[in-house]
Amino acid sequence: MKNLIKNLYLKYKEIINYLIFGVLTTIVNLVTKYLLLFTIFDASNALELQITIIISWIVAVLFAYITNKKFVFESTTQNKLKEFVSFIIARLSTLFLEMLIMWFFITLLKLNSDLYVIIFTIISQIGVVVGNYIFSKLFVFKNK
């Protein structure tokens, strides 16, 4: 049984590690976002909501780049600047997806209670995680 688990892990190491660090990145993003929304910023204020999303995104992206580079895709590229810029560009596209989802439901439809903020944040994070893996695998960490 132990060998089976080890073999499955080795076979699917990249995906398993991506899911583990994706969950951790999502936690970093959510904790940052909720700390800001429930202390400093107000989700019903459209500008403050978007500022909160951007700040939490920056913190999460820095965490994600380090963990994805080292533990998920095990990148050994010599051109670290190009890789980092590609990572940022890929993550910007999913940031805009998250901002669009949050703007539509929280700002436009005025579903801005704490519960709706949590629900639509989780929904947007599902799209973000899937998009981030695809972009990272196909465009950023391709040296494997």
Side-chain angles (χ1 to χ4, degrees):
M1 182 65 153
K2 192 175 184 180
N3 281 339
L4 175 64
I5 293 171
K6 181 180 176 182
N7 289 339
L8 283 173
Y9 172 75
L10 292 175
K11 183 176 181 179
Y12 299 106
K13 180 181 176 183
E14 183 180 279
I15 293 171
I16 292 168
N17 285 350
Y18 183 79
L19 291 174
I20 291 168
F21 288 105
V23 167
L24 291 174
T25 299
T26 300
I27 291 169
V28 167
N29 180 290
L30 295 176
V31 166
T32 304
K33 184 180 299 165
Y34 293 142
L35 282 174
L36 292 172
L37 282 177
F38 300 135
T39 58
I40 299 170
F41 296 114
D42 179 8
S44 64
N45 180 304
L47 179 61
E48 289 185 14
L49 175 64
Q50 297 306 319
I51 290 170
T52 301
I53 291 169
I54 292 168
I55 292 170
S56 61
W57 177 84
I58 291 169
V59 172
V61 165
L62 291 174
F63 176 82
Y65 176 71
I66 293 165
T67 57
N68 277 249
K69 178 178 180 54
K70 184 169 181 154
F71 301 111
V72 177
F73 298 103
E74 299 173 350
S75 175
T76 58
T77 186
Q78 298 301 310
N79 195 342
K80 291 173 179 46
L81 180 61
K82 180 181 178 203
E83 181 182 74
F84 183 69
V85 169
S86 296
F87 189 82
I88 297 298
I89 291 168
R91 294 294 167 123
L92 277 170
S93 65
T94 56
L95 169 65
F96 293 133
L97 171 66
E98 179 182 6
M99 291 175 73
L100 178 64
I101 290 169
M102 295 300 284
W103 170 82
F104 180 78
F105 289 103
I106 306 301
T107 304
L108 188 65
L109 298 182
K110 299 196 185 311
L111 301 171
N112 55 17
S113 71
D114 291 349
L115 178 62
Y116 282 127
V117 170
I118 292 168
I119 290 169
F120 291 113
T121 298
I122 291 169
I123 289 170
S124 68
Q125 287 302 305
I126 293 168
V128 166
V129 168
V130 171
N132 286 338
Y133 180 78
I134 292 168
F135 289 140
S136 291
K137 179 79 174 163
L138 298 178
F139 303 113
V140 181
F141 301 108
K142 24 180 203 186
N143 62 322
K144 279 182 73 177

